[in-house]
Amino acid sequence: MAARSVLVTGGSGGLGGAVVTAFAETGWRVVVPERKSRSGSQPAAAGLVRVVADVGQPAGAAQAVETAAGEPAAPLRAVVNLVGGYASGGLVHETPVDEFERMLTVNLRPTYLVTQAALPHLVASGGGAVVCVSARAALAPFRGAAGYSTAKAAVLAFANAVAVEYRSQNVRCNTVLPSVIDTPANRAAQPDADHSRWVTPDEIAPVIRFLASPESAPTSGATIPVYGRA
């Protein structure tokens, strides 16, 4: 039986599958929220728990966290915030404010809500780890993605704030910054790119697992590049 639980949002996405597998293979109880029940989404491994919850809403985030923290024999020790999204657009003067704000809603809101709901449980259980996913674009923006770059920079700033506010209570928070992740969706969007230079989900997942594990106990407030060769 697993002795600790991790909540992985976005666990059904391109990066999420590799992250869920990495935790499950090392004995974690893994809780994965989904916005709706889908065919074929039943647990495929021991210790994997799926819950229908919209983590972009306060009630859904609270429900996902309660499920993750609801097994006394496997207390919640880690939260991994993978939910996010990308949309290209025009230059700043060409981008409607609704499109700009949508990037903040997609990338920042679920991370904030889930972390907010999970922190009391992590504190009560003696500490734990939060891992957030930002992007290289937070540090090196590119044309046509002001909303995305701003949202990912906000995720990074939020994670650093959590690290400062909760370090005295043994809760750590670190951030990984991927470049372009080698997923089917990204390959379809950029068919002529050199995919061999992209970072794969299987390369990122062990980094996230390490940041969530006791082995990284001295590390909090770190910004970890996971760029591959891109």
Side-chain angles (χ1 to χ4, degrees), residues 99-117:
E99 292 183 15
F100 181 84
E101 290 179 339
R102 180 175 175 273
M103 285 291 92
L104 289 169
T105 299
V106 169
N107 289 285
L108 181 60
R109 182 181 172 92
T111 293
Y112 178 82
L113 289 174
V114 170
T115 304
Q116 179 190 49

Side-chain angles (χ1 to χ4, degrees), residues 102-201:
R102 180 175 175 273
M103 285 291 92
L104 289 169
T105 299
V106 169
N107 289 285
L108 181 60
R109 182 181 172 92
T111 293
Y112 178 82
L113 289 174
V114 170
T115 304
Q116 179 190 49
L119 283 167
H121 294 280
L122 294 173
V123 170
S125 64
V130 178
V131 182
C132 298
V133 176
S134 178
R136 183 168 62 179
L139 304 180
F142 52 90
R143 288 172 60 92
Y148 175 75
S149 298
T150 300
K152 289 302 189 181
V155 169
L156 178 56
F158 171 69
N160 289 339
V162 172
V164 168
E165 291 187 359
Y166 290 89
R167 61 188 173 194
S168 64
Q169 295 167 289
N170 297 317
V171 176
R172 303 176 295 110
C173 190
N174 296 290
T175 311
V176 296
L177 279 72
S179 55
V180 183
I181 303 176
D182 190 359
T183 65
N186 284 338
R187 285 193 175 218
Q190 301 181 55
D192 298 326
D194 182 357
H195 304 143
S196 69
R197 299 179 65 87
W198 293 356
V199 61
T200 69

Side-chain angles (χ1 to χ4, degrees), residues 80-91:
V80 178
N81 291 302
L82 301 182
V83 170
Y86 168 76
S88 60
L91 301 180

Side-chain angles (χ1 to χ4, degrees), residues 206-230:
V207 178
I208 291 176
R209 182 182 60 198
F210 171 73
L211 292 172
S213 70
E215 286 76 11
S216 63
T219 304
S220 191
T223 300
I224 310 297
V226 283
Y227 296 164
R229 296 188 299 115

